[in-house]
Amino acid sequence: MSYINEIERLGGLEKLHPSRNTNLNIEDIRTLEKDLGAELPVDLRDFLMNYGISDFSNEITFDPISRNSEYIHHPDSGQPNFFFEGSGVSVFHGRDREKISTHDIFWNAKNYKDRMPPQFLPFASDGMGNQIVISLNKENYGRIYFWDHEMEWDTEDYYDEVRVTMPEEVKYQNLWLLANDFNDFFERLRAE
């Protein structure tokens, strides 16, 4: 697994809660896959089972593959299009069995389910409420995106403003492609 070499290059990962096990087990993986309706890529599955809730020892940043979001509004729509300059990785999600936590991957899967395109799984955050997510749907399986919560459309607000039901593709307006797969994501990270 090449992501392991990249973790070493970046200075290593540390457990956020060293006194307890926050790694996922095989039953957790199966439950997560059942809830999402898709299998996790092998590398992500391995990562979740070996690292749990963790963060880098160093400050880690990244740039998107494209500064344009995955969905661009037509110029005549009057809706803004957003650009993204870059961010960092704060915490990788794992399994928090002791308390409800924003670092628990199940909490994140449930909390963001209707706010993101179908079968997107948040597996890390930037520490500012934004998520690093992996697509598990057929169209872009395994790709990694940055999801910006400040540029998210609420379906009711969208209807109030535009006067039509929000199309599913608008949920891509606050997503930027970071990597083509899990290993590519780690290869693109850099230590500051």
Side-chain angles (χ1 to χ4, degrees):
M1 308 258 168
S2 68
Y3 76 83
I4 295 171
N5 295 334
E6 295 302 317
I7 289 172
E8 291 175 18
R9 173 185 64 84
L10 295 164
L13 283 172
E14 297 175 359
K15 296 281 189 182
L16 199 60
H17 306 291
S19 64
R20 60 186 203 255
N21 180 11
T22 60
N23 298 10
L24 277 72
N25 58 39
I26 194 64
E27 291 81 22
D28 293 328
I29 297 291
R30 288 182 184 134
T31 301
L32 194 57
E33 289 176 333
K34 182 180 176 189
D35 292 349
L36 294 164
E39 287 188 19
L40 300 180
V42 172
D43 294 334
L44 176 59
R45 178 186 282 204
D46 180 73
F47 180 87
L48 293 171
M49 292 176 72
N50 286 297
Y51 292 94
I53 300 172
S54 55
D55 60 356
F56 283 105
S57 302
N58 297 315
E59 184 177 337
I60 303 298
T61 61
F62 56 79
D63 294 316
I65 288 176
S66 172
R67 303 234 182 260
N68 293 319
S69 65
E70 289 295 292
Y71 177 82
I72 304 293
H73 293 278
H74 190 276
D76 296 339
S77 72
Q79 301 304 314
N81 289 308
F82 303 109
F83 299 94
F84 177 62
E85 296 298 321
S87 188
V89 179
S90 177
V91 177
F92 289 96
H93 305 317
R95 184 72 171 123
D96 199 338
R97 291 170 181 82
E98 293 190 17
K99 62 179 187 154
I100 295 174
S101 164
T102 58
H103 303 305
D104 182 80
I105 200 160
F106 285 91
W107 182 89
N108 280 281
K110 182 179 178 183
N111 185 56
Y112 293 104
K113 181 179 181 180
D114 294 326
R115 297 169 61 186
M116 294 180 179
Q119 297 180 309
F120 271 56
L121 174 65
F123 68 88
S125 76
D126 71 347
M128 309 276 270
N130 305 307
Q131 300 295 314
I132 299 160
V133 302
I134 189 165
S135 171
L136 302 175
N137 65 40
K138 292 176 187 175
E139 292 78 31
N140 42 22
Y141 184 83
R143 289 189 174 178
I144 309 294
Y145 296 87
F146 181 79
W147 181 85
D148 191 321
H149 78 284
E150 292 184 21
M151 298 171 189
E152 173 188 12
W153 267 109
D154 176 273
T155 54
E156 291 175 16
D157 290 344
Y158 186 91
Y159 183 81
D160 289 346
E161 176 119 0
V162 183
R163 293 310 218 190
V164 296
T165 302
M166 186 174 83
E168 192 68 29
E169 61 268 14
V170 174
K171 288 184 179 178
Y172 285 84
Q173 78 161 4
N174 61 331
L175 283 165
W176 287 265
L177 182 63
L178 298 180
N180 293 310
D181 59 42
F182 195 69
N183 285 312
D184 184 37
F185 170 68
F186 279 91
E187 290 168 7
R188 292 174 178 275
L189 297 176
R190 63 182 187 276
E192 292 295 311

